[in-house]
Protein backbone atom coordinates (compact mmCIF):
# COMPACT_ATOMS: atom_id res chain seq x y z
CA UNK A 1 0.00 0.00 0.00
CA UNK A 2 1.33 3.44 -0.95
CA UNK A 3 2.30 5.68 1.93
CA UNK A 4 0.21 8.83 2.33
CA UNK A 5 2.38 11.90 1.89
CA UNK A 6 1.68 15.21 3.63
CA UNK A 7 3.17 18.65 3.02
CA UNK A 8 3.70 21.10 5.90
CA UNK A 9 4.22 24.64 4.62
CA UNK A 10 5.78 27.00 7.15
CA UNK A 11 5.35 30.68 7.93
CA UNK A 12 7.64 33.29 6.47
CA UNK A 13 5.83 36.40 5.13
CA UNK A 14 7.35 37.34 1.71
CA UNK A 15 9.60 34.29 1.87
CA UNK A 16 6.41 32.27 1.51
CA UNK A 17 6.52 32.46 -2.27
CA UNK A 18 9.33 29.89 -2.01
CA UNK A 19 6.60 27.30 -1.35
CA UNK A 20 5.54 27.66 -4.99
CA UNK A 21 9.00 26.55 -6.11
CA UNK A 22 9.02 23.68 -3.63
CA UNK A 23 5.69 22.38 -4.90
CA UNK A 24 6.85 22.67 -8.51
CA UNK A 25 9.97 20.58 -7.78
CA UNK A 26 7.94 17.95 -5.91
CA UNK A 27 5.47 17.68 -8.78
CA UNK A 28 8.26 17.33 -11.31
CA UNK A 29 9.72 14.51 -9.21
CA UNK A 30 6.40 12.69 -9.44
CA UNK A 31 5.68 12.99 -5.72
CA UNK A 32 1.95 12.75 -5.15
CA UNK A 33 0.78 14.78 -2.16
CA UNK A 34 -2.25 13.60 -0.20
CA UNK A 35 -2.50 16.27 2.50
CA UNK A 36 -1.36 19.87 2.92
CA UNK A 37 -1.30 22.11 5.97
CA UNK A 38 0.01 25.64 6.16
CA UNK A 39 0.83 28.34 8.66
CA UNK A 40 0.64 32.03 7.75
CA UNK A 41 2.26 32.44 4.30
CA UNK A 42 2.23 28.65 4.06
CA UNK A 43 -1.55 28.73 4.52
CA UNK A 44 -1.89 31.12 1.57
CA UNK A 45 0.12 28.96 -0.82
CA UNK A 46 -1.28 25.73 0.62
CA UNK A 47 -4.87 26.86 0.12
CA UNK A 48 -4.23 27.82 -3.49
CA UNK A 49 -2.42 24.54 -4.14
CA UNK A 50 -5.25 22.52 -2.57
CA UNK A 51 -7.69 24.40 -4.81
CA UNK A 52 -5.73 23.35 -7.91
CA UNK A 53 -4.65 26.86 -8.94
CA UNK A 54 -0.98 27.02 -7.98
CA UNK A 55 0.18 27.83 -11.52
CA UNK A 56 -2.21 30.76 -11.66
CA UNK A 57 -0.86 32.07 -8.35
CA UNK A 58 2.69 31.89 -9.67
CA UNK A 59 1.75 34.01 -12.67
CA UNK A 60 0.12 36.60 -10.41
CA UNK A 61 2.90 36.96 -7.84
CA UNK A 62 5.57 37.27 -10.50
CA UNK A 63 3.79 40.46 -11.61
CA UNK A 64 3.73 42.05 -8.16
CA UNK A 65 5.60 45.30 -7.68
CA UNK A 66 5.78 47.58 -4.65
CA UNK A 67 2.83 49.71 -5.82
CA UNK A 68 0.53 46.69 -6.11
CA UNK A 69 1.70 45.41 -2.73
CA UNK A 70 1.13 48.77 -1.06
CA UNK A 71 -2.42 48.83 -2.46
CA UNK A 72 -3.13 45.58 -0.61
CA UNK A 73 -2.01 47.05 2.73
CA UNK A 74 -5.03 48.94 4.09
CA UNK A 75 -3.77 50.96 7.06
CA UNK A 76 -6.31 51.21 9.91
CA UNK A 77 -4.18 52.17 12.94
CA UNK A 78 -4.98 52.60 15.84
CA UNK A 79 -7.34 49.65 15.79
CA UNK A 80 -6.16 46.19 16.90
CA UNK A 81 -3.64 46.06 14.07
CA UNK A 82 -1.86 48.42 11.70
CA UNK A 83 -3.35 46.78 8.58
CA UNK A 84 -6.93 45.59 8.20
CA UNK A 85 -6.31 42.73 5.77
CA UNK A 86 -9.55 43.00 3.78
CA UNK A 87 -7.71 43.70 0.53
CA UNK A 88 -5.38 40.78 1.18
CA UNK A 89 -8.45 38.60 1.76
CA UNK A 90 -9.79 39.70 -1.62
CA UNK A 91 -6.44 38.89 -3.20
CA UNK A 92 -6.66 35.37 -1.77
CA UNK A 93 -10.27 35.08 -2.91
CA UNK A 94 -9.27 35.99 -6.47
CA UNK A 95 -6.83 33.07 -6.49
CA UNK A 96 -8.91 30.49 -4.62
CA UNK A 97 -12.51 31.49 -5.20
CA UNK A 98 -15.45 31.35 -2.80
CA UNK A 99 -15.01 27.84 -1.44
CA UNK A 100 -15.15 25.94 1.78
CA UNK A 101 -12.12 23.94 2.84
CA UNK A 102 -14.02 20.68 2.48
CA UNK A 103 -14.65 21.49 -1.20
CA UNK A 104 -10.95 21.75 -2.13
CA UNK A 105 -9.21 19.17 -4.33
CA UNK A 106 -6.87 18.14 -1.49
CA UNK A 107 -7.45 17.86 2.27
CA UNK A 108 -6.19 21.15 3.72
CA UNK A 109 -5.73 22.72 7.15
CA UNK A 110 -4.75 26.25 8.16
CA UNK A 111 -3.08 26.84 11.51
CA UNK A 112 -3.90 29.85 13.69
CA UNK A 113 -3.63 30.82 17.36
CA UNK A 114 -6.38 31.58 19.86
CA UNK A 115 -5.34 34.95 21.28
CA UNK A 116 -7.20 34.41 24.55
CA UNK A 117 -5.89 30.94 25.42
CA UNK A 118 -2.70 30.65 23.38
CA UNK A 119 -3.95 27.36 22.02
CA UNK A 120 -3.24 26.14 18.51
CA UNK A 121 -6.36 26.27 16.35
CA UNK A 122 -6.45 23.93 13.35
CA UNK A 123 -9.05 25.09 10.85
CA UNK A 124 -10.10 22.16 8.69
CA UNK A 125 -13.56 23.24 7.46
CA UNK A 126 -15.59 26.30 6.64
CA UNK A 127 -14.74 29.39 4.61
CA UNK A 128 -11.26 29.10 3.13
CA UNK A 129 -10.74 32.88 3.04
CA UNK A 130 -11.54 33.23 6.73
CA UNK A 131 -9.21 30.36 7.59
CA UNK A 132 -6.27 31.79 5.67
CA UNK A 133 -6.97 35.32 6.86
CA UNK A 134 -6.80 34.08 10.47
CA UNK A 135 -3.58 32.19 9.86
CA UNK A 136 -1.77 35.26 8.48
CA UNK A 137 -2.91 37.72 11.17
CA UNK A 138 0.48 38.70 12.58
CA UNK A 139 -0.21 40.36 15.97
CA UNK A 140 0.18 44.12 15.84
CA UNK A 141 0.47 44.13 12.05
CA UNK A 142 -2.85 42.67 10.84
CA UNK A 143 -6.16 42.89 12.64
CA UNK A 144 -7.20 39.51 14.11
CA UNK A 145 -10.12 37.39 12.91
CA UNK A 146 -13.15 36.46 15.00
CA UNK A 147 -14.30 32.89 14.36
CA UNK A 148 -16.80 30.98 16.50
CA UNK A 149 -16.38 33.54 19.31
CA UNK A 150 -12.58 33.07 19.32
CA UNK A 151 -10.13 35.82 18.37
CA UNK A 152 -7.56 34.26 16.04
CA UNK A 153 -4.08 35.43 15.07
CA UNK A 154 -1.04 34.10 13.20
CA UNK A 155 -0.46 30.37 13.63
CA UNK A 156 3.30 30.98 13.64
CA UNK A 157 3.04 31.88 17.32
CA UNK A 158 2.49 28.22 18.19
CA UNK A 159 3.31 26.05 15.18
CA UNK A 160 5.38 27.78 12.47
CA UNK A 161 5.96 24.55 10.49
CA UNK A 162 2.85 22.36 11.01
CA UNK A 163 4.40 18.89 10.88
CA UNK A 164 2.17 17.64 13.68
CA UNK A 165 -0.95 18.87 11.90
CA UNK A 166 -0.16 16.94 8.72
CA UNK A 167 0.45 13.78 10.74
CA UNK A 168 -2.94 14.19 12.43
CA UNK A 169 -4.52 14.52 9.00
CA UNK A 170 -3.30 10.98 8.21
CA UNK A 171 0.11 11.40 6.55
CA UNK A 172 2.57 8.52 6.89
CA UNK A 173 5.43 10.55 5.40
CA UNK A 174 5.75 14.29 6.05
CA UNK A 175 7.65 16.78 3.90
CA UNK A 176 8.16 20.05 5.77
CA UNK A 177 9.28 23.44 4.46
CA UNK A 178 10.97 25.72 6.99
CA UNK A 179 11.38 29.31 5.81
CA UNK A 180 12.74 30.61 9.12
CA UNK A 181 16.08 28.85 8.92
CA UNK A 182 18.96 31.29 9.46
CA UNK A 183 16.87 34.46 9.09
CA UNK A 184 18.08 36.08 12.32
CA UNK A 185 21.79 35.63 11.67
CA UNK A 186 21.45 37.12 8.20
CA UNK A 187 19.75 40.38 9.23
CA UNK A 188 21.95 43.23 8.06
CA UNK A 189 22.34 46.54 9.86
CA UNK A 190 23.38 49.96 8.71
CA UNK A 191 26.72 51.30 9.87
CA UNK A 192 25.24 54.71 10.67
CA UNK A 193 21.87 55.03 12.43
CA UNK A 194 19.45 57.31 10.57
CA UNK A 195 16.78 59.23 12.50
CA UNK A 196 13.25 57.97 11.90
CA UNK A 197 10.87 59.99 9.74
CA UNK A 198 7.90 58.00 10.90
CA UNK A 199 6.48 54.72 12.10
CA UNK A 200 6.87 52.96 8.76
CA UNK A 201 10.26 54.40 7.80
CA UNK A 202 13.42 52.30 8.27
CA UNK A 203 15.33 53.39 11.35
CA UNK A 204 18.41 51.52 12.49
CA UNK A 205 17.95 48.95 9.74
CA UNK A 206 17.67 45.84 11.88
CA UNK A 207 14.78 44.48 9.84
CA UNK A 208 15.24 46.19 6.49
CA UNK A 209 18.14 46.93 4.24
CA UNK A 210 18.20 50.57 3.13
CA UNK A 211 18.14 49.66 -0.56
CA UNK A 212 15.41 47.00 -0.40
CA UNK A 213 11.65 47.47 -0.21
CA UNK A 214 11.92 51.23 0.41
CA UNK A 215 9.08 51.96 -2.01
CA UNK A 216 6.65 49.87 0.04
CA UNK A 217 7.74 51.44 3.32
CA UNK A 218 7.65 54.97 1.96
CA UNK A 219 4.14 54.46 0.61
CA UNK A 220 2.98 53.05 3.94
CA UNK A 221 4.56 56.01 5.70
CA UNK A 222 2.52 58.39 3.53
CA UNK A 223 -0.67 56.47 4.32
CA UNK A 224 0.16 56.61 8.00
CA UNK A 225 0.75 60.38 7.86
CA UNK A 226 -2.79 60.93 6.53
CA UNK A 227 -4.22 59.66 9.83
CA UNK A 228 -5.15 62.72 11.89
CA UNK A 229 -4.69 61.40 15.42
CA UNK A 230 -3.24 63.72 18.13
CA UNK A 231 -1.30 60.94 19.85
CA UNK A 232 0.45 60.11 16.59
CA UNK A 233 1.64 63.69 16.22
CA UNK A 234 3.57 63.40 19.48
CA UNK A 235 4.88 59.97 18.45
CA UNK A 236 6.17 61.33 15.13
CA UNK A 237 7.85 64.28 16.84
CA UNK A 238 9.59 61.97 19.31
CA UNK A 239 10.68 59.48 16.65
CA UNK A 240 12.06 62.27 14.45
CA UNK A 241 14.55 63.09 17.23
CA UNK A 242 15.48 59.58 18.30
CA UNK A 243 17.28 57.05 16.01
CA UNK A 244 15.15 54.14 17.18
CA UNK A 245 13.68 51.20 15.25
CA UNK A 246 10.18 51.82 13.90
CA UNK A 247 7.06 49.89 14.83
CA UNK A 248 7.34 47.46 11.92
CA UNK A 249 10.98 46.71 12.74
CA UNK A 250 10.25 46.06 16.40
CA UNK A 251 7.24 43.82 15.80
CA UNK A 252 8.73 41.94 12.86
CA UNK A 253 12.13 41.38 14.44
CA UNK A 254 10.47 40.17 17.63
CA UNK A 255 8.28 37.74 15.70
CA UNK A 256 11.23 36.57 13.58
CA UNK A 257 13.22 35.74 16.72
CA UNK A 258 10.26 34.03 18.37
CA UNK A 259 9.26 31.97 15.34
CA UNK A 260 12.84 30.92 14.62
CA UNK A 261 13.19 29.65 18.19
CA UNK A 262 9.79 27.93 18.18
CA UNK A 263 10.51 26.35 14.80
CA UNK A 264 13.80 24.91 16.03
CA UNK A 265 12.15 23.46 19.13
CA UNK A 266 9.14 22.02 17.29
CA UNK A 267 11.26 20.39 14.59
CA UNK A 268 13.34 18.67 17.27
CA UNK A 269 10.33 17.26 19.10
CA UNK A 270 8.34 16.39 15.98
CA UNK A 271 10.78 16.04 13.07
CA UNK A 272 9.48 15.57 9.53
CA UNK A 273 10.61 12.71 7.32
CA UNK A 274 12.01 15.20 4.81
CA UNK A 275 12.99 18.78 5.68
CA UNK A 276 13.46 21.50 3.07
CA UNK A 277 15.07 24.77 4.20
CA UNK A 278 15.69 27.27 1.38
CA UNK A 279 18.25 30.02 1.93
CA UNK A 280 15.96 33.08 2.21
CA UNK A 281 17.55 35.29 4.85
CA UNK A 282 18.07 38.05 2.29
CA UNK A 283 14.33 38.51 1.64
CA UNK A 284 12.59 40.87 4.05
CA UNK A 285 9.11 40.77 5.54
CA UNK A 286 7.34 43.00 3.00
CA UNK A 287 9.38 42.18 -0.09
CA UNK A 288 6.60 40.27 -1.83
CA UNK A 289 7.86 41.77 -5.08
CA UNK A 290 10.88 39.42 -4.91
CA UNK A 291 8.75 36.41 -5.78
CA UNK A 292 11.08 35.24 -8.55
CA UNK A 293 14.02 34.94 -6.13
CA UNK A 294 11.95 33.15 -3.51
CA UNK A 295 10.40 30.70 -5.97
CA UNK A 296 13.77 29.85 -7.49
CA UNK A 297 15.32 29.35 -4.04
CA UNK A 298 12.53 26.97 -3.03
CA UNK A 299 12.72 25.08 -6.31
CA UNK A 300 16.50 24.67 -6.35
CA UNK A 301 16.76 23.65 -2.70
CA UNK A 302 14.04 21.03 -3.16
CA UNK A 303 15.75 19.63 -6.25
CA UNK A 304 19.03 19.47 -4.31
CA UNK A 305 17.42 17.65 -1.38
CA UNK A 306 15.63 15.15 -3.61
CA UNK A 307 18.80 14.48 -5.62
CA UNK A 308 20.74 13.64 -2.47
CA UNK A 309 18.16 11.24 -1.05
CA UNK A 310 19.54 7.74 -0.51
Amino acid sequence: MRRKIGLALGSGSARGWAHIGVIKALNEAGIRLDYVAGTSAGAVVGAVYASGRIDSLKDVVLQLDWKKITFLLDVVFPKCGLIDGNKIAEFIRSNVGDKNIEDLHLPFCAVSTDLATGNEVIIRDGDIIEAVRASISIPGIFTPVKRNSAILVDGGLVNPVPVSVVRKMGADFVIAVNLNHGIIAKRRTRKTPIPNRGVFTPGTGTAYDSTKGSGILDALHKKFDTLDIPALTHLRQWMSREPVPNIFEIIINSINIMEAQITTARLKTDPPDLLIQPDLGHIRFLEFNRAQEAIVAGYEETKRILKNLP
Side-chain angles (χ1 to χ4, degrees):
M1 181 181 295
R2 187 182 72 86
R3 289 189 296 178
K4 298 290 186 179
I5 301 175
L7 180 64
L9 301 177
S11 60
S13 61
R15 301 185 301 278
W17 298 143
H19 291 314
I20 298 174
V22 171
I23 291 170
K24 176 178 172 60
L26 293 175
N27 287 339
E28 287 182 355
I31 296 174
R32 176 184 163 188
L33 300 171
D34 300 284
Y35 307 99
V36 59
T39 297
S40 199
V44 175
V45 177
V48 176
Y49 176 62
S51 71
R53 301 178 66 177
I54 193 69
D55 290 334
S56 174
L57 177 65
K58 179 182 177 182
D59 293 338
V60 170
V61 302
L62 287 176
Q63 300 301 316
L64 288 176
D65 55 28
W66 69 265
K67 291 182 180 180
K68 292 178 181 177
I69 296 164
T70 303
F71 174 77
L72 295 174
L73 304 179
D74 37 359
V75 176
V76 294
F77 187 87
K79 294 184 179 180
C80 46
L82 297 174
I83 298 169
D84 191 48
N86 286 332
K87 290 182 179 178
I88 291 178
E90 288 306 311
F91 173 79
I92 299 168
R93 190 184 310 279
S94 69
N95 286 281
V96 177
D98 289 306
K99 297 180 180 179
N100 285 337
I101 293 176
E102 51 268 39
D103 297 327
L104 299 177
H105 295 296
L106 277 177
F108 169 76
C109 287
V111 180
S112 61
T113 304
D114 187 320
L115 190 60
T117 65
N119 292 334
E120 177 182 307
V121 177
I122 303 171
I123 306 177
R124 62 184 81 243
D125 54 30
D127 181 31
I128 184 65
I129 308 302
E130 181 184 65
V132 174
R133 175 67 181 81
S135 187
I136 67 172
S137 295
I138 301 170
I141 301 293
F142 293 105
T143 55
V145 169
K146 185 174 182 180
R147 186 176 192 268
N148 298 332
S149 76
I151 304 299
L152 303 180
V153 294
D154 193 335
L157 298 180
V158 291
N159 200 351
V161 184
V163 175
S164 59
V165 176
V166 180
R167 291 201 191 281
K168 289 178 182 177
M169 294 173 74
D172 304 306
F173 186 94
V174 176
I175 301 171
V177 186
N178 173 24
L179 305 182
N180 298 318
H181 178 67
I183 61 171
I184 303 303
K186 294 188 177 181
R187 287 289 180 256
R188 292 168 290 187
T189 59
R190 292 192 185 118
K191 293 182 179 179
T192 305
I194 297 175
N196 247 325
R197 288 188 293 114
V199 172
F200 293 115
T201 308
T204 54
T206 54
Y208 297 97
D209 180 82
S210 60
T211 61
K212 302 292 186 182
S214 58
I216 300 171
L217 292 171
D218 285 345
L220 281 173
H221 176 248
K222 289 178 182 178
K223 285 187 177 184
F224 188 81
D225 272 351
T226 63
L227 299 176
D228 185 19
I229 302 170
L232 296 185
T233 301
H234 297 294
L235 179 62
R236 294 187 190 106
Q237 290 173 350
W238 172 71
M239 294 186 76
S240 68
R241 297 191 299 268
E242 299 292 335
V244 296
N246 61 48
I247 288 176
F248 263 122
E249 289 177 326
I250 293 170
I251 295 175
I252 294 163
N253 261 20
S254 299
I255 290 175
N256 279 337
I257 293 169
M258 177 194 67
E259 290 198 1
Q261 296 292 337
I262 295 173
T263 299
T264 300
R266 296 281 314 225
L267 290 177
K268 285 182 179 178
T269 57
D270 193 7
D273 300 287
L274 182 65
L275 179 61
I276 300 169
Q277 301 186 116
D279 185 6
L280 297 163
H282 59 289
I283 296 180
R284 303 299 188 258
F285 174 79
L286 285 176
E287 293 179 335
F288 292 96
N289 53 314
R290 299 177 71 178
Q292 178 69 31
E293 296 174 58
I295 292 171
V296 169
Y299 178 81
E300 291 183 346
E301 179 62 11
T302 305
K303 295 286 282 188
R304 187 189 70 81
I305 293 291
L306 294 177
K307 182 179 179 181
N308 293 328
L309 286 178

